Amino acid sequence: MIKEIDLFGVFLPPMFGYAAAAALIWLVLRKCLAWSGAYRLVWHPALFNTALYILILSVCVTFVFR
Amino acid sequence: MVQPGWRDVLFSVKTFGAAVLALYIAFALDLTQPTWAMLTVFVVSQPIAGMVAAKSLFRAIGTIMGAAVALTLVGAFAQSAPMFLVSLALWIGACTFTSVLLRDAPAAYGAMLSGYTAAIVGIPAALAPETAFDYAVGRCIEILLGIGCATLVSQVIFPRTAGEALKESVNATLEDAADWTRDVLHGKSQQEKALADQRKLISDAISLDGLRVFATFDTPSVRAASNVVRHLQGELLSLLAILVSVNDRLALLRGLAPDKHAALQDILVRTASLLPAPGDPLRHDPSLGAVAEGLRQEAMSRLPTFDDMVHDHRSIPVRNILLRIGDLVTTWRRILDLREALLLGNTMSLSEAAPSTDRYRDITFALVAGSVSTTAVLATSALWVSSGWQQGSSAVIFSGVICSILGALDDPVPSAANFLRMTIFSAIFAAIYLFAVLPSIDGFVSLVFAFLPFYLPFGILLGLPRISLKVTPLGLNLVAFLGLTNVRSQPDFASFANSSLALLAGIGAGILMFRLLRPLGVEWTVRRIRRGILRDLERLAGPETMVSRNRFASRMFDRINALFSRLDATQPDQRALMRSALAALRVGFNLILLKEASHEIPRDAATAIARVLAELERHFRDLRMGTTISGPLHAIDDAVAILLARPVSRVEDLLTALVAVSSALHQHADLFGQVRSSPVPDIIRQGFPA
């Protein structure tokens, strides 16, 4: 399961892959939330976004290692 | 877009020359990181020689201090990485705190630098403790070398001194001051234009002190006349305060008693004729003294007496205006004398000590900035240690750097984002240099020619205000990425990508911390300045403190300048706040007057004044704390009634001050709350059409 990612000859740690995948999901989710107006209910958007990203990232990692 | 002139090109050539010189010497001495010498040249180089000297001095002090702290930390905690990283984070936080508190003083740079130098030196040193000492000494030597080259070139080759800049700035400021004075006296100061003029004048007057500090580094005659400049700045600020007062009183009088206003016209016009005509340069005119003294005497002889004031209450503002006209004439004369002394380099015999230029300091803000730095370093350290990412150390260093250098801004996120963007560009340029250009370089001369097409345009941009702040990271980080050394090594794309990524991650962590911990930005600063103004007024009204007029004025003008530079005069509510801040200055002056005069009057009148002060103190505290404000402040009405019924010594001054406070509170309800229903106290209102 743990193997380095080969990107044009440069080897990246697997964490990089999870972080990138999480970022992709996060970007999409953020757009959806912004579109639905959910941010009006959020007190501190930057904090909310950070927490959201960490949650998605940990879901990605857990999903792979399940 | 600013068009670069020949001065900027010259500056660029000078800077590039100094950088090449530093690089050459560093190569010749076989130093380990010649890059740092070159980087330092670009960091300290500024168009004005005194600024280079000041920044160099504090860069040297900051580097040596930071390196010393780094060695101490490595020595103490070489065995325990967590202890080392935590104490490093605390040190960076403390340095950011100090530098934010010092604001724009040159020493602030030293404080900031000693913080992140500890990281730049300390982290690689901690990873290889046996070479720690050489590494630290190497960085100090390389930076001193860069400073030496930059200072030498800036002082020797066509120096542009801060002394000259100071003299130019004094002349420009005085001409603007004359313009505005003329507008106020002619009653032509339309609200919006007046506010814009005031904003410019206040910021020019405040910045004189900064230029003076730099001028002491490069112009001996200014160093000798340093006291003159401080007096000049003090007088200029008093002139502004007087003008604000005259302007508001005249507006009040125009509305309430047009006949009294018309009667003052002749003296106003004659006072305005003392000033040079618009567009004329300032001249030293020996006959001015006598004319000015005559005008002052006339203003004093026309002052309404107490009987006039009791008989016709509307003459109270007239008295105020005439007094200020007398002050205005005296102050203007003194300003011209001081300017003459500065330009000719004479040392004037100045009777009193120079007015203290008190700056406002925001401890809470500095604490927040400091803790953001500490948190950023701790967070990246945790990431580095837990992930086992080798290059993670750069992320730790750069998160500290970015939080230190941008911590003083109201809203650091846009600047930090710009820093990130510029760093990405510089990584691209560095990749081009490392993998395409440098491999074909075979000597120092060709290296210089390879740098020429990048660093000459960069130098020109570096000399332009505003743009320079934006592009600085581009050039500096390129030098840092290149990491030039004497040892030729095969460029390795993987390790280059890895270290660049770490650097960008560090900057990204800094941005994240700013966004998480400081979400309020400019709005928060404005709110803090506003509370600071109220706290100053509260202290003035309070019973124990005796604050000097000059200290109060200089701190207030510093605040007002900070406020004006953040507000937009086209927004009605922000414009109102700008005007209220100026009114607060006048309220403060009147509070000082009330307090001084109340020592010389009989018991019952003094008690009435003390009640006014106590009520105002409580009122300002309530405003500051945001608690519900109470009452129409009856003590003012009562005191006026007592004074009008029973003349005491200086009763005219006391009455004028009370009316002034009352009308300021009424006019500027946005800052002072809705407490006064009319501009004048109740008993006087019969005289005024309400």
Side-chain angles (χ1 to χ4, degrees):
Chain A
M1 191 66 69
I2 298 176
K3 68 179 184 69
E4 302 237 292
I5 301 164
D6 184 352
L7 191 76
F8 310 118
V10 179
F11 288 94
L12 298 170
M15 193 61 192
F16 195 83
Y18 305 141
L24 214 63
I25 302 172
W26 177 67
L27 281 173
V28 173
L29 200 58
R30 214 175 54 161
K31 278 269 182 293
C32 295
L33 285 174
W35 175 77
S36 69
Y39 280 107
R40 263 177 312 206
L41 308 172
V42 171
W43 163 69
H44 190 324
L47 185 62
F48 178 85
N49 284 335
T50 313
L52 188 67
Y53 180 76
I54 302 283
L55 283 174
I56 298 172
L57 181 62
S58 41
V59 166
C60 288
V61 173
T62 331
F63 187 70
V64 173
F65 284 92
R66 187 177 43 148
Chain B
M1 194 67 193
V2 196
Q3 286 295 317
W6 64 272
R7 262 187 193 287
D8 303 304
V9 177
L10 177 69
F11 167 70
S12 172
V13 173
K14 277 167 64 178
T15 310
F16 187 69
V20 167
L21 181 67
L23 194 63
Y24 182 78
I25 298 176
F27 275 132
L29 293 179
D30 215 7
L31 297 177
T32 47
Q33 299 266 6
T35 303
W36 281 342
M38 186 175 171
L39 198 138
T40 295
V41 172
F42 286 113
V43 170
V44 297
S45 285
Q46 290 156 93
I48 292 177
M51 291 183 176
V52 178
K55 201 160 184 189
S56 296
L57 176 69
F58 286 105
R59 184 162 174 97
I61 294 175
T63 303
I64 293 171
M65 223 166 114
V69 169
L71 287 183
T72 315
L73 291 182
V74 170
F77 305 118
Q79 314 306 323
S80 154
M83 284 297 282
F84 174 80
L85 289 170
V86 169
S87 39
L88 183 68
L90 289 175
W91 170 251
I92 294 178
C95 288
T96 308
F97 168 79
T98 316
S99 108
V100 172
L101 205 59
L102 289 173
R103 296 182 49 207
D104 50 5
Y109 179 67
M112 176 179 99
L113 189 72
S114 63
Y116 65 77
T117 298
I120 294 179
V121 174
I123 290 180
L127 293 172
E130 62 286 353
T131 61
F133 188 74
D134 293 341
Y135 193 74
V137 172
R139 169 143 177 126
C140 289
I141 292 176
E142 281 140 13
I143 283 185
L144 291 178
L145 174 67
I147 287 170
C149 293
T151 317
L152 186 77
V153 170
S154 80
Q155 299 271 8
V156 172
I157 301 172
F158 305 118
R160 171 172 156 77
T161 61
E164 269 170 59
L166 177 71
K167 287 170 189 169
E168 281 168 23
S169 170
V170 164
N171 277 334
T173 312
L174 291 191
E175 276 163 26
D176 290 349
D179 279 348
W180 192 47
T181 312
R182 213 175 313 104
D183 283 355
V184 167
L185 292 174
H186 286 152
K188 280 196 304 197
S189 62
Q190 281 87 26
Q191 300 290 15
E192 280 214 26
K193 182 177 177 299
L195 217 53
D197 289 353
Q198 267 160 297
R199 175 207 286 245
K200 190 168 171 322
L201 257 184
I202 292 172
S203 106
D204 286 351
I206 297 280
S207 62
L208 279 187
D209 196 54
L211 269 179
R212 174 186 69 80
V213 173
F214 292 124
T216 55
F217 279 90
D218 68 11
T219 314
S221 73
V222 173
R223 197 176 312 146
S226 174
N227 234 6
V228 174
V229 183
R230 289 174 60 183
H231 274 282
L232 185 63
Q233 189 194 20
E235 297 290 342
L236 206 52
L237 292 181
S238 333
L239 181 78
L240 289 177
I242 294 167
L243 286 174
V244 168
S245 171
V246 171
N247 195 26
D248 279 27
R249 289 317 71 199
L250 280 175
L252 182 75
L253 204 61
R254 241 194 316 270
L256 297 175
D259 55 319
K260 300 258 177 216
H261 184 261
L264 282 176
Q265 261 322 313
D266 67 311
I267 194 165
L268 293 177
V269 170
R270 270 184 295 139
T271 312
S273 69
L274 279 184
L275 304 157
D280 272 13
L282 294 165
R283 262 190 325 271
H284 190 69
D285 180 2
S287 67
L288 183 76
V291 183
E293 184 53 30
L295 258 175
R296 200 186 65 81
Q297 302 254 336
E298 190 195 327
M300 292 305 117
S301 68
R302 283 172 63 170
L303 285 184
T305 60
F306 177 68
D307 289 334
D308 295 338
M309 285 157 75
V310 174
H311 179 69
D312 181 0
H313 301 320
R314 297 179 310 161
S315 56
I316 296 177
V318 173
R319 185 186 152 82
N320 200 326
I321 292 171
L322 285 172
L323 279 174
R324 293 293 89 81
I325 293 283
D327 292 349
L328 182 95
V329 170
T330 322
T331 313
W332 182 248
R333 252 183 74 195
R334 244 180 101 67
I335 287 178
L336 287 187
D337 287 348
L338 287 164
R339 168 183 169 270
E340 198 65 14
L342 176 73
L343 292 190
L344 298 179
N346 296 342
T347 39
M348 265 176 93
S349 58
L350 295 160
S351 47
E352 72 268 44
S356 68
T357 38
D358 209 9
R359 310 290 307 271
Y360 85 92
R361 311 251 173 235
D362 193 337
I363 294 180
T364 316
F365 182 65
L367 275 175
V368 169
S371 35
V372 170
S373 292
T374 302
T375 320
V377 173
L378 283 179
T380 40
S381 300
L383 195 74
W384 176 37
V385 172
S386 65
S387 71
W389 181 16
Q390 263 215 328
Q391 298 286 336
S393 59
S394 309
V396 178
I397 296 174
F398 266 79
S399 68
V401 170
I402 191 101
C403 291
S404 299
I405 61 179
L406 300 178
L409 299 180
D410 295 336
D411 187 8
V413 174
S415 304
N418 170 64
F419 195 100
L420 185 66
R421 216 169 23 248
M422 287 298 160
T423 310
I424 294 173
F425 287 146
S426 68
I428 295 170
F429 276 112
I432 298 174
Y433 269 110
L434 278 177
F435 300 102
V437 181
L438 294 189
S440 57
I441 295 289
D442 55 358
F444 189 74
V445 178
S446 51
L447 181 68
V448 170
F449 277 105
F451 280 147
L452 215 55
F454 181 82
Y455 277 105
L456 272 188
F458 172 68
I460 294 175
L461 296 180
L462 199 62
L464 303 175
R466 268 202 285 277
I467 303 177
S468 88
L469 278 178
K470 280 197 162 163
V471 298
T472 310
L474 181 64
L476 296 188
N477 289 332
L478 175 59
V479 184
F481 275 128
L482 289 179
L484 300 167
T485 53
N486 263 346
V487 191
R488 178 170 284 252
S489 57
Q490 202 54 42
D492 165 19
F493 186 75
S495 73
F496 173 75
N498 203 347
S499 62
S500 312
L501 205 63
L503 211 154
L504 295 174
I507 298 171
I511 296 179
L512 183 65
M513 287 304 148
F514 283 137
R515 293 202 68 142
L516 288 183
L517 302 175
R518 285 181 49 183
L520 290 174
V522 183
E523 186 196 326
W524 188 56
T525 315
V526 169
R527 215 170 346 166
R528 298 197 53 74
I529 295 174
R530 187 193 155 107
R531 283 177 56 156
I533 290 174
L534 290 169
R535 192 174 51 240
D536 259 16
L537 290 182
E538 181 192 328
R539 282 233 303 274
L540 274 187
E544 65 285 332
T545 39
M546 204 64 218
V547 186
S548 100
R549 197 184 151 95
N550 275 331
R551 286 178 77 89
F552 168 72
S554 112
R555 198 168 52 232
M556 267 309 249
F557 272 117
D558 194 22
R559 272 211 183 90
I560 290 173
N561 182 34
L563 193 67
F564 277 23
S565 64
R566 288 170 174 87
L567 294 179
D568 178 4
T570 57
Q571 304 283 325
D573 58 326
Q574 301 197 6
R575 191 167 58 231
L577 181 57
M578 288 163 88
R579 278 213 289 273
S580 312
L582 286 168
L585 181 79
R586 245 180 28 252
V587 170
F589 286 152
N590 284 308
L591 289 179
I592 294 174
L593 189 147
L594 285 178
K595 229 156 134 184
E596 279 169 2
S598 67
H599 296 304
E600 306 163 17
I601 54 176
R603 174 80 50 86
D604 58 337
T607 328
I609 297 292
R611 264 208 304 278
V612 172
L613 290 173
E615 211 171 58
L616 284 174
E617 186 195 6
R618 199 196 34 151
H619 177 62
F620 291 135
R621 185 171 44 243
D622 288 350
L623 281 173
R624 180 168 64 84
M625 307 295 250
T627 43
T628 46
I629 46 170
S630 53
L633 303 177
H634 280 307
I636 297 180
D637 305 312
D638 299 347
V640 170
I642 290 175
L643 287 175
L644 279 176
R646 228 194 99 189
V648 291
S649 65
R650 297 190 66 180
V651 64
E652 301 92 343
D653 291 344
L654 287 168
L655 274 177
T656 318
L658 286 171
V659 172
V661 170
S662 170
S663 77
L665 292 187
H666 170 76
Q667 278 177 335
H668 301 283
D670 61 309
L671 180 63
F672 298 121
Q674 305 276 358
V675 279
R676 303 289 302 173
S677 50
S678 92
V680 286
D682 288 344
I683 188 160
I684 294 183
R685 203 152 7 133
Q686 294 90 23
F688 282 94

